[in-house]
Amino acid sequence: MQQDIPARQAAATTGERPVRTVRPRRYLMCAPVHFDVVYSINPWMEPEKPTDTELAVAQWERLRSLYLGLGHQVELIDPIPGLPDMVFAANGATVVDGKVLASRFRHAQRVDEGPAYATWFRDRGYEVFDGAHINEGEGDYLVTGDRILAGTGFRTDRRSHAEAERFLGRPVVTLDLIDPRFYHLDTALAVLDHEEVMYYPGAFSAESRRTLRELYPDAILATEEDAAVFGLNAVSDGRHVLLPEQASHLIDALWSRGFVPIGVDLSELLKSGGSSKCCTLEIRDRVPGASA
Ligand SMILES: CN(C)C(=N)NCCC[C@H](N)C(=O)O
């Protein structure tokens, strides 16, 4: 598969595919120096299986270097001992137009991460809102051009969706997740560009599948195999899409739409049920005089 990539890349630049442009991003990440799987709060986590923290750090460093190499900014939050899942920065908050919706975690093991991320933003002068209901940040809130797609069913409480809509000032579309393997929205759907997404239909209720078909009739549909290797836990900057290298069908589909997929290996973090997107919180600052 690796040898095919230059050929596909050449095809992508000469064919009828849309020209994709990068929008530089600012990300927040947390090094997995305390990473381990010592409890189980999703079907991927098996505490009896060994983990390799050094390898987790090396894989995470590679992801960070890729972002920097693509011209994005990466901020860091200090990892806290005793919070092994803190590497999954996407769960730490939701940031839209410089406003920060603080996360409130469902499981006791992760509860202290919410205030840690909120403090990082408060210390830097951001307006931070503590909602009354459970929400796991960008794990369940995915921001598109005009709206916010919001997952519920396993982690984020649907009552949080109304709070997010009020505080963040964008319409929120509720989507019901039904497969415990895809317990956060960002394991089942990825935003590729303003109004372009890819998703695995089997992760959603019939009604949510209808909603997605209406909103995104041209979406890339993932196979179960792609979803099962966390292919939808992807990060797009509008042109490059970072995703697990095993997601071969999605990689082909992305090339054919003019994107440049970049395969990453985060096998250690997958043992806790996370991949690229989980490690990456986008800081969407207010852009003066522009709609985001
Ligand atoms: C998509 N995102 C942000 C995630 N899926 N995050 C990974 C969380 C993993 C953690 N063990 C948990 O179960 O909460």
Side-chain angles (χ1 to χ4, degrees):
M1 187 184 71
Q2 289 292 10
Q3 298 98 307
D4 293 339
I5 286 178
R8 283 198 233 121
Q9 187 163 20
T13 52
T14 53
E16 293 298 304
R17 298 158 186 86
V19 175
R20 302 288 178 178
T21 40
V22 174
R23 195 157 49 84
R25 312 287 166 136
R26 190 163 163 242
Y27 296 130
L28 177 59
M29 297 181 74
C30 179
V33 292
H34 305 300
F35 177 72
D36 202 351
V37 178
V38 291
Y39 50 79
S40 180
I41 56 172
N42 71 53
W44 305 88
M45 301 176 82
E46 298 179 69
E48 58 288 353
K49 276 201 184 156
T51 51
D52 180 340
T53 306
E54 235 173 82
L55 179 58
V57 172
Q59 293 177 337
W60 176 92
E61 279 294 357
R62 165 100 183 110
L63 179 66
R64 186 169 85 101
S65 308
L66 278 170
Y67 289 140
L68 294 172
L70 292 170
H72 303 301
Q73 248 179 287
V74 179
E75 308 285 349
L76 297 174
I77 181 171
D78 288 335
I80 299 176
L83 296 178
D85 275 338
M86 195 172 167
V87 57
F88 300 118
N91 295 140
T94 307
V95 188
V96 177
D97 298 333
K99 290 188 280 190
V100 179
L101 174 65
S103 292
R104 188 180 280 272
F105 283 81
R106 178 162 296 277
H107 296 101
Q109 295 94 332
R110 299 197 68 189
V111 158
D112 290 345
E113 294 179 43
Y117 278 92
T119 299
W120 190 94
F121 282 102
R122 280 203 178 92
D123 287 350
R124 285 155 185 81
Y126 284 84
E127 178 190 358
V128 179
F129 175 71
D130 289 303
H133 302 290
I134 287 168
N135 89 83
E136 297 203 351
E138 281 201 350
D140 276 320
Y141 284 123
L142 292 178
V143 180
T144 68
D146 290 335
R147 61 180 78 90
I148 298 173
L149 301 177
T152 188
F154 297 102
R155 298 293 180 88
T156 296
D157 187 318
R158 69 177 62 239
R159 289 171 296 179
S160 158
H161 296 180
E163 289 182 331
E165 183 165 276
R166 267 195 309 276
F167 175 65
L168 299 173
R170 295 210 192 169
V172 167
V173 177
T174 293
L175 296 169
D176 287 294
L177 296 164
I178 58 163
D179 183 331
R181 291 174 300 167
F182 309 115
Y183 55 94
H184 275 142
L185 181 61
D186 73 356
T187 64
L189 184 148
V191 175
L192 298 170
D193 207 351
H194 290 293
E195 297 303 339
E196 284 186 81
V197 303
M198 55 183 184
Y199 65 93
Y200 170 53
F204 296 93
S205 69
E207 193 183 333
S208 296
R209 284 201 293 273
R210 241 185 332 269
T211 303
L212 287 168
R213 271 198 307 273
E214 276 164 25
L215 290 175
Y216 307 107
D218 298 326
I220 296 175
L221 299 184
T223 61
E224 184 172 8
E225 290 73 30
D226 281 328
V229 293
F230 264 51
L232 293 160
N233 200 242
V235 179
S236 172
D237 64 11
R239 175 171 165 78
H240 310 101
V241 182
L242 278 63
L243 77 172
E245 56 202 5
Q246 295 85 354
S248 51
H249 165 262
L250 283 181
I251 288 176
D252 284 343
L254 288 164
W255 280 120
S256 73
R257 303 276 180 119
F259 292 100
V260 180
I262 299 175
V264 290
D265 177 10
L266 289 167
S267 57
E268 274 310 298
L269 298 177
L270 194 56
K271 292 178 181 169
S272 192
S275 191
S276 326
K277 174 68 192 90
C278 299
C279 296
T280 313
L281 175 61
E282 184 166 347
I283 304 175
R284 297 180 190 80
D285 286 311
R286 190 184 301 282
V287 182
S291 64

